[in-house]
Amino acid sequence: MKKHIIIVFTMSLLSVASFAQNTNDFFSKADAFFKTYVVNGKVDYSKIHNEPQALDEVLKLAEGLSVSKTDASVYQAFWINAYNLSVIKGIVDNYPLNSPLDKKGFLIKQHML
């Protein structure tokens, strides 16, 4: 039986009106991704591995964003989500992987946005 990797996601619920259109798209797609692939704190890596398009799409959106530090809550929410998505991408790219710690240097060498 395979072990499940659990990642706790901290997601800020922010007013959609406070986002610029491009950050709004990112947060909408990230939220949809997490709702689809994370249940009770457990990420369905197998499903993401078989259907990587949603993850790739939201990461592509993140790559093109420049989020200002002037709105601290949006800035923090963006980087928390971007980090979590990047870790998921690293696990999916090395799937099957019981733990990121099983891959030497995973958290150090993981490509971040």
Side-chain angles (χ1 to χ4, degrees):
M1 176 179 269
K2 290 195 181 241
K3 297 178 187 175
H4 292 321
I5 301 169
I6 299 174
I7 295 178
V8 178
F9 291 93
T10 306
M11 299 176 70
S12 297
L13 298 176
L14 303 170
S15 169
V16 173
S18 69
F19 298 151
Q21 183 60 39
N22 55 358
T23 54
N24 185 37
D25 289 344
F26 169 77
F27 284 111
S28 293
K29 289 190 186 296
D31 185 52
F33 175 85
F34 292 132
K35 285 179 179 176
T36 301
Y37 297 101
V38 181
V39 177
N40 295 325
K42 294 182 181 178
V43 180
D44 191 343
Y45 294 103
S46 176
K47 188 173 182 181
I48 299 167
H49 184 260
N50 293 327
E51 305 168 0
Q53 299 82 6
L55 177 59
D56 292 342
E57 182 180 352
V58 73
L59 284 171
K60 188 71 174 168
L61 278 173
E63 286 176 11
L65 290 180
S66 176
V67 181
S68 173
K69 291 182 181 180
T70 57
D71 189 339
S73 59
V74 171
Y75 184 80
Q76 181 180 25
F78 171 79
W79 284 108
I80 289 170
N81 281 282
Y83 173 81
N84 287 328
L85 291 163
S86 294
V87 171
I88 290 171
K89 175 71 171 159
I91 292 170
V92 169
D93 286 350
N94 292 284
Y95 187 82
L97 188 67
N98 288 327
S99 167
L101 300 176
D102 291 345
K103 177 111 172 112
K104 185 177 172 118
F106 178 86
L107 294 175
I108 296 168
K109 294 179 184 177
Q110 181 66 28
H111 295 292
M112 298 301 294
L113 299 174

